[in-house]
Amino acid sequence: MVTGDGSRTLYSPQFDQTYHSTFGALTESEHVFIDCAKLKQRLNEQQRVRILEIGFGTGLNFLLSVREASNSNSFIEYVALENCVIPENILRELKYEHIEGCDHNWMSLLHFLSCTNRDTLKGTHFWLRIINSLENIVSSASANFDLIYLDAFSPNANPELWTRDFLTALYASLSINGVLTTYCAKGSVRRTLEAAGFEVKRMKGPPGKREILRAKKRQD
């Protein structure tokens, strides 16, 4: 499916939702998970940034994050929670190799996802691990994340990834002053994030969406 900015996304029959905004997949990812997370600023301040993504999906947020790491000559550790990895042949239809700065990393990712015994993917500016259990993430050495991209399907489609218990676990896995960003600005999600301990701020949304949420771990 071609979206409003010319980039592509996929539709999930299982969840009856697209993976990205139909107004612009690339625009949405850059706005919500790069700009509002202030990834560029963080990469300029520290040479290594730890990122947790909830809902790896098509890999677009990962590719854009690696592009930023490459541009700043820094490094990201990227852990993604994903239970339904999209087959390589379907992902190829997205043609992400045409996104500036993503061509080589995209082909490496496709090859990685085609491997049945995949563990981690390593590159000059990144380390990627895809995992299917939050418990494994929180208990691993990759906890203490700087950023969390909460990009699961909507609360109606994936309710287990928006509960207070789940968001509390995400809060615990963040470093002090760590930040979570999400496209979902529902009042119930904002209140649940606050109940989990986050300091939540509404931010201007990308085209087609009025607001998104940026949540910060409190220093206390």
Side-chain angles (χ1 to χ4, degrees), residues 12-85:
S12 170
Q14 178 183 357
F15 296 104
D16 190 27
Q17 292 183 358
T18 56
Y19 280 80
H20 307 94
S21 169
T22 57
F23 289 90
L26 178 59
T27 301
E28 178 189 42
S29 286
E30 288 180 330
H31 179 79
V32 180
F33 301 110
I34 303 299
D35 297 340
C36 285
K38 297 184 179 179
L39 177 59
K40 296 178 185 180
Q41 177 180 328
R42 195 173 286 265
L43 286 168
N44 287 331
E45 294 173 351
Q46 57 192 85
Q47 283 296 299
R48 185 177 294 260
V49 173
R50 289 181 170 180
I51 301 173
L52 169 63
E53 179 171 25
I54 306 301
F56 185 76
T58 67
L60 181 56
N61 297 335
F62 164 72
L63 291 170
L64 296 177
S65 298
V66 174
R67 185 176 70 178
E68 295 304 324
S70 178
N71 289 341
S72 62
N73 195 30
S74 50
F75 193 88
I76 60 172
E77 296 179 14
Y78 202 100
V79 180
L81 177 66
E82 180 59 69
N83 286 316
C84 302
V85 177

Side-chain angles (χ1 to χ4, degrees), residues 13-197:
Q14 178 183 357
F15 296 104
D16 190 27
Q17 292 183 358
T18 56
Y19 280 80
H20 307 94
S21 169
T22 57
F23 289 90
L26 178 59
T27 301
E28 178 189 42
S29 286
E30 288 180 330
H31 179 79
V32 180
F33 301 110
I34 303 299
D35 297 340
C36 285
K38 297 184 179 179
L39 177 59
K40 296 178 185 180
Q41 177 180 328
R42 195 173 286 265
L43 286 168
N44 287 331
E45 294 173 351
Q46 57 192 85
Q47 283 296 299
R48 185 177 294 260
V49 173
R50 289 181 170 180
I51 301 173
L52 169 63
E53 179 171 25
I54 306 301
F56 185 76
T58 67
L60 181 56
N61 297 335
F62 164 72
L63 291 170
L64 296 177
S65 298
V66 174
R67 185 176 70 178
E68 295 304 324
S70 178
N71 289 341
S72 62
N73 195 30
S74 50
F75 193 88
I76 60 172
E77 296 179 14
Y78 202 100
V79 180
L81 177 66
E82 180 59 69
N83 286 316
C84 302
V85 177
I86 301 169
E88 175 206 7
N89 63 313
I90 296 178
L91 283 175
R92 284 187 179 276
E93 299 175 8
L94 294 168
K95 301 185 183 300
Y96 284 169
E97 67 270 21
H98 297 306
I99 298 176
E100 184 179 357
C102 291
D103 50 351
H104 174 71
N105 292 322
W106 174 236
M107 300 311 294
S108 298
L109 178 61
L110 288 175
H111 177 72
F112 171 66
L113 295 176
S114 71
C115 299
T116 55
N117 295 318
R118 57 179 174 267
D119 183 12
T120 59
L121 176 64
K122 298 179 182 179
T124 304
H125 297 283
F126 71 90
W127 173 94
L128 167 68
R129 184 182 182 194
I130 299 178
I131 201 164
N132 62 9
S133 167
L134 183 65
E135 289 74 18
N136 291 341
I137 294 172
V138 174
S139 64
S140 74
S142 293
N144 200 34
F145 295 100
D146 300 298
L147 300 174
I148 294 179
Y149 301 161
L150 180 48
D151 199 20
F153 286 112
S154 74
N156 290 337
N158 253 170
E160 68 277 11
L161 300 183
W162 302 89
T163 65
R164 179 172 176 175
D165 286 347
F166 187 81
L167 296 181
T168 299
L170 294 186
Y171 184 87
S173 72
L174 268 177
S175 61
I176 298 298
N177 292 322
V179 168
L180 176 152
T181 57
T182 180
Y183 68 91
C184 185
K186 290 182 64 174
S188 59
V189 170
R190 176 180 55 80
R191 290 188 292 272
T192 305
L193 283 166
E194 290 174 338

